[in-house]
Amino acid sequence: MRLYLRSRALPAALAALVGTASVAAWAARWLVSLPDFDHTARLPVVVLGPLLAAAAVGASLHTPSDELDRTAVRAWWPRRLAHVLAPTVLAAALFALALPGHTEAYGAPAAVRNTLGLVGVAAASAALAGARLSWLPPVFFVGAVYLAAPSEGGGAAQWWAWVMQPGPQAGAWTVAVIAFVTGAGGYAWRGARHMTGES
C-alpha cells in the first residue's frame, strides 16, 4: 500500500489539498472583510479552490505501471475507486470547514458541490486523455463558464454553469453528482490512459 501511494504521489496531492483549503479559508475571510463586499464575494474561492483541488487529485491518478495493473491477479478497480474517493472526501471536508456560514449562497455547499463535480471531470479526463492532462478540461470549463455565466443564479444556467451557482441549486447539484459518479466510475473501471513517453 505504501508503494502504491508513493508511486502515484498521493501524499503530495493530499498536502496540496490541505494547502489549498488553508489558502481558501484565508482568501474567503479577506474578501468578506473588504469594504463594500459581503459573503457573495467568496464566489472566486468557491470556484478556484475546488478547481485546484481537482487538479491535484487528477495529477495523482497517474499510473506508472499500467501493464502490471492490467495483468494483476486481483482486480484494480477497488483501489482506483478508493484512490478517487479518499482525496475527494478530504477536499470536500476541508472546503466545508474553510467556508462556514451562508449556505444559501457561496458557502460550504457550493464548495463541496464544485469539488465533487470538478474532481469527476478530472477523473474522466485522466481515463480519456491521461493523468498528466487531467487538469486541462476542468480549467477550460471553469474559465469559459466564469466568463459566460449570468450574474444571477438559477434558470438554465444551473445546468451548464453549475460551478457558478449558489449552494442549494438542485440542477447544479444534479450535474455535479453525475459528473463525479461518471468520472470516478470511468477511472475505476479503466484507470488512467497511458500516454506515449510516460514512464
Side-chain angles (χ1 to χ4, degrees):
M1 183 58 73
R2 185 181 302 169
L3 180 60
Y4 178 90
L5 297 176
R6 288 178 57 196
S7 68
R8 283 139 175 92
L10 198 55
L14 297 179
L17 295 178
V18 172
T20 300
S22 301
V23 172
W26 171 82
R29 289 186 185 90
W30 177 71
L31 286 169
V32 171
S33 70
L34 293 174
D36 301 324
F37 282 89
D38 58 11
H39 62 276
T40 59
R42 300 193 298 182
L43 174 62
V45 177
V46 168
V47 174
L48 297 179
L51 177 61
L52 293 175
V57 173
S60 77
L61 301 179
H62 170 66
T63 305
S65 58
D66 63 329
E67 296 88 357
L68 293 175
D69 292 359
R70 286 196 300 268
T71 59
V73 175
R74 295 182 181 176
W76 275 87
W77 73 263
R79 289 182 184 88
R80 291 186 191 126
L81 185 60
H83 186 157
V84 175
L85 289 177
T88 303
V89 169
L90 174 64
L94 290 173
F95 283 119
L97 294 172
L99 295 157
H102 303 293
T103 58
E104 76 286 355
Y106 301 110
V112 169
R113 179 201 64 219
N114 288 350
T115 301
L116 289 175
L118 291 173
V119 167
V121 174
S125 302
L128 296 174
R132 304 279 189 214
L133 297 176
S134 63
W135 59 272
L136 194 55
V139 168
F140 178 77
F141 169 72
V142 167
V145 167
Y146 202 87
L147 294 174
S151 57
E152 295 295 325
Q158 67 181 311
W159 299 100
W160 63 269
W162 52 270
V163 292
M164 300 290 291
Q165 299 300 304
Q169 294 287 344
W173 271 99
T174 301
V175 175
V177 169
I178 290 172
F180 179 72
V181 170
T182 304
Y187 173 75
W189 176 58
R190 67 174 291 176
R193 180 178 177 187
H194 184 74
M195 303 300 290
T196 304
E198 288 185 348
S199 58

